Amino acid sequence: MRHALIFAAGLGERMRPLTEHTPKPLLHVGGKPLIAWHLEKLAAAGVHYVVINTSHLAEQFPAALGDGSRWGLRIRYAYEGPTPLETGGGMLNALPLLGSEPFLVVSGDVWCDADYAALPAEPRGLAHLLLTDNPAHHPRGDFRLDAEGYLHDDGEPRLTYSGIGVFRRELLDGWREAVGAAPGADAKPPRFRLRPLLETAIACGRVGGSHHRGAWTDVGTPARLADLESALRG
């Protein structure tokens, strides 16, 4: 994979007051911004071109990360406006910058020790999601992974979507029908979640996945950020 998209447009409301003056992906952990961990791993996996979507305190990203050359990357920024477009709308907004090949997607507010190079460059369907064991704050999980490596929206046991995966742009083709009358869908640019599109594709057997059994943290609260800092310090 040559291209990647990092979701970094969220408001970080649960991380306040830390995110009142700093976007969550730029909060430091282990001696560097959270997003820098992803950029290092993307470069190591052979990615050359990264799109970062921005909204909250957007001007801080190019000031902190520049053009990506320090990691051997080329970074482009996809500004969503003052109101984030959510995951589906954010991906749709970034598509013109991502080319025609499958691209790697990373949520800017997670930390994970997975090897991005181990993810399939060509998903068998429309997407391949990296799944983890369910954390304490999300005990019910998101999807079931079968023995053939396909995802299902029913049954047990369920795993949690890590926020990391490989996507084909064709997943967005039927976004309007998938999201229906969801609030924001008629806005310009449209604002909608990615989950309904994934559910539609999963129902058609077109989303695969793999189970990551290593370390993963959803850095969603100041307490989890502090726990991650302690873990990285050893």
Side-chain angles (χ1 to χ4, degrees):
M1 287 167 289
R2 297 180 296 174
H3 292 183
L5 169 65
I6 299 180
F7 286 133
L11 299 176
E13 293 176 322
R14 292 177 299 160
M15 290 292 287
R16 291 178 178 171
L18 299 179
T19 52
E20 290 178 356
H21 304 290
T22 305
K24 184 162 54 169
L26 291 182
L27 293 173
H28 277 63
V29 63
K32 53 194 164 187
L34 181 60
I35 197 171
W37 291 90
H38 297 308
L39 294 172
E40 291 174 357
K41 293 172 68 65
L42 290 170
V47 172
H48 301 293
Y49 178 87
V50 178
V51 177
I52 300 176
N53 68 351
T54 64
S55 175
H56 177 57
L57 301 172
E59 70 282 356
Q60 294 191 23
F61 287 95
L65 308 175
D67 63 2
S69 56
R70 78 187 76 168
W71 296 281
L73 299 167
R74 181 187 177 198
I75 291 178
R76 294 281 301 276
Y77 299 95
Y79 181 57
E80 298 184 359
T83 301
L85 300 178
E86 302 197 37
T87 48
M91 185 180 291
L92 182 67
N93 183 64
L95 277 188
L97 301 176
L98 285 167
S100 60
E101 299 177 3
F103 50 91
L104 205 156
V105 171
V106 180
S107 293
D109 57 358
V110 304
W111 188 95
C112 186
D113 65 356
D115 178 6
Y116 294 167
L119 294 168
E122 294 284 344
R124 288 185 291 176
L126 293 174
H128 179 100
L129 307 187
L130 187 69
L131 306 173
T132 71
D133 294 332
N134 301 328
H137 63 273
H138 190 55
R140 297 184 62 185
D142 295 310
F143 306 112
R144 176 172 60 89
L145 180 67
D146 69 23
E148 286 73 43
Y150 285 98
L151 270 59
H152 302 269
D153 202 20
D154 60 358
E156 299 290 341
R158 297 168 75 84
L159 298 169
T160 292
Y161 173 42
S162 68
I164 300 167
V166 181
F167 291 75
R168 295 186 187 275
R169 61 186 298 119
E170 288 79 12
L171 177 70
L172 278 297
D173 285 351
W175 73 266
R176 196 64 185 83
E177 293 76 14
V179 304
D186 292 325
K188 297 189 183 302
R191 185 177 67 255
F192 58 92
R193 297 171 60 228
L194 190 62
R195 177 73 184 241
L197 281 69
L198 287 172
E199 291 174 347
T200 298
I202 286 171
C204 298
R206 303 190 70 188
V207 179
S210 52
H211 185 184
H212 174 63
R213 293 175 169 80
W216 173 83
T217 300
D218 171 9
V219 188
T221 65
R224 287 183 223 152
L225 181 66
D227 289 343
L228 178 58
E229 180 69 42
S230 296
L232 292 175
R233 287 182 177 178

